[in-house]
Amino acid sequence: MANNNNGKMSREEAGRLGGEATANNHDKEFYQEIGRKGGEATAESHDKEFYQEIGKKGGEATAESHDKEFYQEIGQKGGEATAESHGREFYEEIGRKGGEATSDSHDREFYQEIGQKGGQARNDNDGNDGKMSREEAGRKGGEARARQRRSD
Protein backbone atom coordinates (compact mmCIF):
# COMPACT_ATOMS: atom_id res chain seq x y z
CA MET A 1 0.00 0.00 0.00
CA ALA A 2 1.38 3.40 -0.98
CA ASN A 3 1.44 5.93 1.84
CA ASN A 4 1.94 9.65 1.78
CA ASN A 5 3.86 11.58 4.43
CA ASN A 6 1.02 11.40 6.97
CA GLY A 7 0.83 7.60 6.90
CA LYS A 8 -2.49 7.73 5.03
CA MET A 9 -3.50 5.75 1.97
CA SER A 10 -2.93 7.50 -1.38
CA ARG A 11 -5.88 8.44 -3.58
CA GLU A 12 -4.69 5.96 -6.18
CA GLU A 13 -4.59 3.11 -3.65
CA ALA A 14 -7.97 4.07 -2.18
CA GLY A 15 -9.50 4.18 -5.65
CA ARG A 16 -8.07 0.80 -6.57
CA LEU A 17 -9.31 -0.81 -3.36
CA GLY A 18 -12.73 0.81 -3.72
CA GLY A 19 -13.00 -0.43 -7.29
CA GLU A 20 -12.07 -3.95 -6.26
CA ALA A 21 -14.65 -3.91 -3.45
CA THR A 22 -17.34 -2.65 -5.82
CA ALA A 23 -16.47 -5.34 -8.38
CA ASN A 24 -16.72 -8.02 -5.67
CA ASN A 25 -20.10 -6.76 -4.47
CA HIS A 26 -21.96 -6.24 -7.79
CA ASP A 27 -22.96 -8.32 -10.79
CA LYS A 28 -23.18 -7.74 -14.54
CA GLU A 29 -26.68 -6.24 -14.31
CA PHE A 30 -25.44 -3.58 -11.88
CA TYR A 31 -22.81 -2.42 -14.36
CA GLN A 32 -25.29 -2.51 -17.24
CA GLU A 33 -27.69 -0.32 -15.27
CA ILE A 34 -25.09 2.27 -14.25
CA GLY A 35 -23.80 2.29 -17.84
CA ARG A 36 -27.31 2.94 -19.13
CA LYS A 37 -27.84 5.75 -16.63
CA GLY A 38 -24.48 7.28 -17.46
CA GLY A 39 -25.24 7.11 -21.17
CA GLU A 40 -28.59 8.82 -20.66
CA ALA A 41 -26.99 11.58 -18.57
CA THR A 42 -24.29 12.09 -21.20
CA ALA A 43 -26.87 12.24 -23.99
CA GLU A 44 -28.79 14.93 -22.11
CA SER A 45 -25.73 17.10 -21.58
CA HIS A 46 -24.00 16.83 -24.98
CA ASP A 47 -24.94 17.76 -28.53
CA LYS A 48 -24.50 16.14 -31.94
CA GLU A 49 -21.06 17.70 -32.46
CA PHE A 50 -19.78 16.08 -29.26
CA TYR A 51 -20.73 12.63 -30.51
CA GLN A 52 -19.30 13.34 -33.96
CA GLU A 53 -15.99 14.37 -32.40
CA ILE A 54 -15.67 11.37 -30.09
CA GLY A 55 -16.72 9.09 -32.94
CA LYS A 56 -14.03 10.58 -35.15
CA LYS A 57 -11.38 10.19 -32.45
CA GLY A 58 -12.43 6.62 -31.75
CA GLY A 59 -12.40 5.75 -35.43
CA GLU A 60 -8.94 7.23 -35.88
CA ALA A 61 -7.59 5.36 -32.86
CA THR A 62 -9.11 2.11 -34.09
CA ALA A 63 -7.71 2.62 -37.59
CA GLU A 64 -4.22 3.13 -36.16
CA SER A 65 -4.31 -0.10 -34.17
CA HIS A 66 -6.07 -2.51 -36.56
CA ASP A 67 -5.35 -3.89 -40.00
CA LYS A 68 -7.43 -4.75 -43.07
CA GLU A 69 -8.25 -8.25 -41.79
CA PHE A 70 -9.79 -6.77 -38.62
CA TYR A 71 -12.18 -4.65 -40.65
CA GLN A 72 -13.03 -7.57 -42.94
CA GLU A 73 -13.82 -9.74 -39.93
CA ILE A 74 -16.03 -7.20 -38.16
CA GLY A 75 -17.75 -6.36 -41.45
CA GLN A 76 -18.53 -10.02 -42.02
CA LYS A 77 -19.79 -10.48 -38.44
CA GLY A 78 -21.96 -7.37 -38.73
CA GLY A 79 -23.36 -8.51 -42.06
CA GLU A 80 -24.17 -11.95 -40.68
CA ALA A 81 -25.85 -10.50 -37.60
CA THR A 82 -27.89 -8.13 -39.75
CA ALA A 83 -28.89 -10.93 -42.12
CA GLU A 84 -30.13 -13.02 -39.17
CA SER A 85 -32.31 -10.21 -37.85
CA HIS A 86 -33.72 -8.69 -41.06
CA GLY A 87 -35.79 -10.02 -43.91
CA ARG A 88 -35.93 -9.33 -47.62
CA GLU A 89 -38.02 -6.18 -47.17
CA PHE A 90 -35.27 -4.57 -45.08
CA TYR A 91 -32.70 -5.10 -47.83
CA GLU A 92 -35.10 -3.88 -50.51
CA GLU A 93 -35.72 -0.71 -48.50
CA ILE A 94 -32.06 0.08 -47.82
CA GLY A 95 -31.21 -0.69 -51.44
CA ARG A 96 -33.92 1.70 -52.61
CA LYS A 97 -32.75 4.43 -50.24
CA GLY A 98 -29.13 3.94 -51.30
CA GLY A 99 -30.10 4.06 -54.94
CA GLU A 100 -32.05 7.28 -54.41
CA ALA A 101 -29.17 8.90 -52.52
CA THR A 102 -26.73 7.89 -55.25
CA SER A 103 -29.12 9.11 -57.92
CA ASP A 104 -29.36 12.50 -56.23
CA SER A 105 -25.60 12.94 -56.17
CA HIS A 106 -24.53 11.54 -59.58
CA ASP A 107 -25.20 12.40 -63.20
CA ARG A 108 -25.94 10.40 -66.35
CA GLU A 109 -22.27 9.88 -67.18
CA PHE A 110 -21.70 8.24 -63.80
CA TYR A 111 -24.37 5.63 -64.48
CA GLN A 112 -23.11 5.01 -67.99
CA GLU A 113 -19.58 4.54 -66.71
CA ILE A 114 -20.49 2.13 -63.90
CA GLY A 115 -22.82 0.26 -66.23
CA GLN A 116 -20.02 -0.21 -68.73
CA LYS A 117 -17.51 -1.21 -66.05
CA GLY A 118 -19.93 -3.65 -64.47
CA GLY A 119 -20.84 -5.13 -67.82
CA GLN A 120 -17.20 -5.50 -68.79
CA ALA A 121 -16.28 -7.12 -65.47
CA ARG A 122 -19.07 -9.68 -65.77
CA ASN A 123 -18.22 -10.29 -69.42
CA ASP A 124 -14.60 -10.96 -68.44
CA ASN A 125 -15.79 -13.61 -65.98
CA ASP A 126 -18.32 -15.38 -68.25
CA GLY A 127 -18.31 -16.87 -71.71
CA ASN A 128 -20.82 -15.57 -74.26
CA ASP A 129 -23.75 -18.01 -74.37
CA GLY A 130 -25.81 -16.29 -77.09
CA LYS A 131 -27.49 -13.88 -74.69
CA MET A 132 -27.05 -10.12 -74.58
CA SER A 133 -23.56 -9.37 -73.32
CA ARG A 134 -23.30 -8.23 -69.76
CA GLU A 135 -21.52 -5.12 -70.97
CA GLU A 136 -24.47 -4.30 -73.23
CA ALA A 137 -26.94 -5.00 -70.40
CA GLY A 138 -24.94 -2.72 -68.10
CA ARG A 139 -24.83 0.03 -70.69
CA LYS A 140 -28.56 -0.23 -71.29
CA GLY A 141 -29.24 -0.24 -67.55
CA GLY A 142 -27.16 2.90 -67.11
CA GLU A 143 -28.96 4.62 -69.96
CA ALA A 144 -32.37 3.59 -68.60
CA ARG A 145 -31.51 4.95 -65.16
CA ALA A 146 -30.31 8.21 -66.69
CA ARG A 147 -33.59 8.52 -68.62
CA GLN A 148 -35.54 7.85 -65.44
CA ARG A 149 -33.65 10.60 -63.60
CA ARG A 150 -34.38 13.08 -66.37
CA SER A 151 -38.10 12.35 -66.18
CA ASP A 152 -38.23 12.72 -62.35
Side-chain angles (χ1 to χ4, degrees):
M1 173 183 335
N3 291 324
N4 64 16
N5 292 336
N6 296 329
K8 295 182 181 178
M9 187 182 309
S10 71
R11 286 185 183 162
E12 180 181 331
E13 182 71 6
R16 185 184 65 75
L17 292 174
E20 289 175 3
T22 302
N24 291 332
N25 293 325
H26 297 286
D27 59 7
K28 179 180 176 180
E29 288 75 23
F30 168 79
Y31 288 102
Q32 289 173 335
E33 179 66 13
I34 64 171
R36 184 188 61 75
K37 288 179 179 178
E40 289 174 358
T42 302
E44 290 174 6
S45 63
H46 292 84
D47 60 8
K48 178 181 176 181
E49 288 75 25
F50 168 80
Y51 287 101
Q52 289 174 333
E53 183 63 24
I54 64 170
K56 180 182 176 194
K57 288 179 181 178
E60 290 170 353
T62 302
E64 290 175 7
S65 62
H66 292 86
D67 58 9
K68 179 180 177 181
E69 289 76 23
F70 168 80
Y71 288 101
Q72 289 173 333
E73 183 179 337
I74 65 170
Q76 181 175 351
K77 287 179 179 179
E80 290 170 357
T82 302
E84 289 176 10
S85 62
H86 293 84
R88 178 181 176 155
E89 296 79 18
F90 169 78
Y91 289 100
E92 289 174 352
E93 177 69 9
I94 64 171
R96 183 187 60 75
K97 288 180 178 179
E100 289 174 358
T102 303
S103 173
D104 290 343
S105 62
H106 292 84
D107 60 10
R108 176 181 180 187
E109 289 76 24
F110 168 80
Y111 286 99
Q112 289 175 331
E113 181 180 342
I114 65 168
Q116 289 172 350
K117 287 180 179 178
Q120 184 61 49
R122 294 201 56 171
N123 190 40
D124 290 347
N125 291 329
D126 283 341
N128 190 351
D129 57 3
K131 297 179 182 176
M132 180 189 309
S133 74
R134 301 201 188 271
E135 183 176 11
E136 178 70 7
R139 184 185 61 75
K140 287 184 177 184
E143 290 172 353
R145 182 66 181 130
R147 283 192 303 274
Q148 181 183 11
R149 288 192 71 229
R150 283 194 302 267
S151 67
D152 287 345

CSV table of all heavy atoms in Angstrom, one decimal, residues 11 14 22 44 48 53 58 65 70 74 80 92 98 102 105 108 123 133 138 147:
chain,number,residue,atom,x,y,z
A,11,ARG,N,-4.6,8.4,-2.8
A,11,ARG,CA,-5.9,8.4,-3.6
A,11,ARG,C,-5.9,7.3,-4.6
A,11,ARG,O,-6.9,6.6,-4.8
A,11,ARG,CB,-6.1,9.8,-4.3
A,11,ARG,CG,-6.4,10.9,-3.4
A,11,ARG,CD,-6.7,12.1,-4.2
A,11,ARG,NE,-6.9,13.3,-3.3
A,11,ARG,CZ,-6.9,14.5,-3.7
A,11,ARG,NH1,-6.6,14.8,-4.9
A,11,ARG,NH2,-7.1,15.4,-2.8
A,14,ALA,N,-6.6,4.1,-2.6
A,14,ALA,CA,-8.0,4.1,-2.2
A,14,ALA,C,-8.9,3.8,-3.3
A,14,ALA,O,-9.9,3.0,-3.2
A,14,ALA,CB,-8.3,5.4,-1.5
A,22,THR,N,-16.1,-2.8,-5.0
A,22,THR,CA,-17.3,-2.7,-5.8
A,22,THR,C,-17.5,-3.8,-6.8
A,22,THR,O,-18.6,-4.4,-6.9
A,22,THR,CB,-17.3,-1.3,-6.6
A,22,THR,OG1,-17.2,-0.2,-5.7
A,22,THR,CG2,-18.6,-1.1,-7.4
A,44,GLU,N,-28.1,13.7,-22.5
A,44,GLU,CA,-28.8,14.9,-22.1
A,44,GLU,C,-27.9,16.2,-22.0
A,44,GLU,O,-28.4,17.3,-22.2
A,44,GLU,CB,-29.5,14.7,-20.8
A,44,GLU,CG,-30.7,13.8,-20.8
A,44,GLU,CD,-31.3,13.5,-19.5
A,44,GLU,OE1,-30.9,14.1,-18.5
A,44,GLU,OE2,-32.2,12.6,-19.4
A,48,LYS,N,-24.9,17.0,-30.8
A,48,LYS,CA,-24.5,16.1,-31.9
A,48,LYS,C,-23.0,16.3,-32.2
A,48,LYS,O,-22.4,15.3,-32.5
A,48,LYS,CB,-25.3,16.6,-33.2
A,48,LYS,CG,-25.0,15.8,-34.4
A,48,LYS,CD,-25.8,16.3,-35.6
A,48,LYS,CE,-25.5,15.7,-36.9
A,48,LYS,NZ,-26.3,16.2,-38.0
A,53,GLU,N,-17.4,14.2,-32.7
A,53,GLU,CA,-16.0,14.4,-32.4
A,53,GLU,C,-15.5,13.1,-31.7
A,53,GLU,O,-14.4,12.6,-32.1
A,53,GLU,CB,-15.8,15.6,-31.5
A,53,GLU,CG,-14.3,15.9,-31.2
A,53,GLU,CD,-13.4,16.2,-32.4
A,53,GLU,OE1,-14.0,16.6,-33.4
A,53,GLU,OE2,-12.2,15.9,-32.2
A,58,GLY,N,-12.4,8.1,-31.9
A,58,GLY,CA,-12.4,6.6,-31.8
A,58,GLY,C,-12.1,5.9,-33.0
A,58,GLY,O,-11.4,4.9,-33.1
A,65,SER,N,-4.7,1.1,-34.9
A,65,SER,CA,-4.3,-0.1,-34.2
A,65,SER,C,-4.8,-1.4,-34.8
A,65,SER,O,-4.6,-2.5,-34.3
A,65,SER,CB,-4.8,0.0,-32.7
A,65,SER,OG,-6.2,0.1,-32.6
A,70,PHE,N,-8.9,-7.1,-39.7
A,70,PHE,CA,-9.8,-6.8,-38.6
A,70,PHE,C,-11.1,-6.2,-39.2
A,70,PHE,O,-12.2,-6.6,-38.8
A,70,PHE,CB,-9.1,-5.8,-37.7
A,70,PHE,CG,-10.1,-5.1,-36.7
A,70,PHE,CD1,-10.5,-5.8,-35.5
A,70,PHE,CD2,-10.6,-3.9,-36.9
A,70,PHE,CE1,-11.3,-5.2,-34.6
A,70,PHE,CE2,-11.5,-3.3,-36.0
A,70,PHE,CZ,-11.8,-4.0,-34.9
A,74,ILE,N,-14.9,-7.8,-38.8
A,74,ILE,CA,-16.0,-7.2,-38.2
A,74,ILE,C,-17.1,-6.9,-39.2
A,74,ILE,O,-18.3,-6.9,-38.8
A,74,ILE,CB,-15.6,-5.9,-37.3
A,74,ILE,CG1,-15.1,-4.8,-38.2
A,74,ILE,CG2,-14.7,-6.3,-36.2
A,74,ILE,CD1,-14.9,-3.5,-37.4
A,80,GLU,N,-23.5,-10.7,-41.1
A,80,GLU,CA,-24.2,-12.0,-40.7
A,80,GLU,C,-25.2,-11.7,-39.6
A,80,GLU,O,-26.3,-12.2,-39.7
A,80,GLU,CB,-23.2,-13.0,-40.2
A,80,GLU,CG,-22.3,-13.5,-41.3
A,80,GLU,CD,-21.1,-14.4,-40.8
A,80,GLU,OE1,-20.9,-14.5,-39.6
A,80,GLU,OE2,-20.4,-14.9,-41.7
A,92,GLU,N,-34.5,-4.6,-49.4
A,92,GLU,CA,-35.1,-3.9,-50.5
A,92,GLU,C,-35.2,-2.4,-50.2
A,92,GLU,O,-34.9,-1.5,-51.0
A,92,GLU,CB,-36.5,-4.4,-50.8
A,92,GLU,CG,-36.4,-5.8,-51.5
A,92,GLU,CD,-37.8,-6.4,-51.6
A,92,GLU,OE1,-38.8,-5.9,-51.1
A,92,GLU,OE2,-37.9,-7.5,-52.3
A,98,GLY,N,-30.5,3.7,-50.8
A,98,GLY,CA,-29.1,3.9,-51.3
A,98,GLY,C,-29.1,4.3,-52.8
A,98,GLY,O,-28.4,5.2,-53.2
A,102,THR,N,-27.7,7.9,-54.2
A,102,THR,CA,-26.7,7.9,-55.3
A,102,THR,C,-27.3,8.7,-56.5
A,102,THR,O,-26.5,9.5,-57.1
A,102,THR,CB,-26.3,6.5,-55.7
A,102,THR,OG1,-25.9,5.8,-54.5
A,102,THR,CG2,-25.3,6.4,-56.7
A,105,SER,N,-26.9,12.3,-56.2
A,105,SER,CA,-25.6,12.9,-56.2
A,105,SER,C,-24.7,12.6,-57.4
A,105,SER,O,-23.6,13.0,-57.5
A,105,SER,CB,-24.9,12.5,-54.9
A,105,SER,OG,-24.7,11.1,-54.9
A,108,ARG,N,-25.8,11.4,-65.3
A,108,ARG,CA,-25.9,10.4,-66.4
A,108,ARG,C,-24.6,9.7,-66.7
A,108,ARG,O,-24.6,8.5,-66.8
A,108,ARG,CB,-26.5,11.0,-67.6
A,108,ARG,CG,-26.7,10.1,-68.7
A,108,ARG,CD,-27.2,10.7,-70.0
A,108,ARG,NE,-27.4,9.8,-71.0
A,108,ARG,CZ,-27.7,10.0,-72.2
A,108,ARG,NH1,-28.0,11.3,-72.6
A,108,ARG,NH2,-27.8,9.1,-73.1
A,123,ASN,N,-18.6,-9.7,-68.1
A,123,ASN,CA,-18.2,-10.3,-69.4
A,123,ASN,C,-16.9,-11.0,-69.3
A,123,ASN,O,-16.7,-12.1,-69.9
A,123,ASN,CB,-18.2,-9.2,-70.5
A,123,ASN,CG,-18.1,-9.9,-71.9
A,123,ASN,OD1,-18.8,-10.9,-72.2
A,123,ASN,ND2,-17.3,-9.2,-72.8
A,133,SER,N,-24.8,-9.4,-74.1
A,133,SER,CA,-23.6,-9.4,-73.3
A,133,SER,C,-23.9,-8.6,-72.0
A,133,SER,O,-24.7,-7.7,-72.0
A,133,SER,CB,-22.4,-8.7,-74.1
A,133,SER,OG,-22.6,-7.3,-74.2
A,138,GLY,N,-25.3,-3.8,-69.0
A,138,GLY,CA,-24.9,-2.7,-68.1
A,138,GLY,C,-25.1,-1.3,-68.7
A,138,GLY,O,-25.6,-0.4,-68.1
A,147,ARG,N,-32.3,8.0,-68.1
A,147,ARG,CA,-33.6,8.5,-68.6
A,147,ARG,C,-34.6,8.7,-67.5
A,147,ARG,O,-35.3,9.7,-67.5
A,147,ARG,CB,-34.1,7.5,-69.7
A,147,ARG,CG,-33.5,7.6,-71.0
A,147,ARG,CD,-34.2,6.9,-72.1
A,147,ARG,NE,-34.4,5.5,-71.8
A,147,ARG,CZ,-33.5,4.5,-72.0
A,147,ARG,NH1,-32.4,4.8,-72.6
A,147,ARG,NH2,-33.8,3.2,-71.7
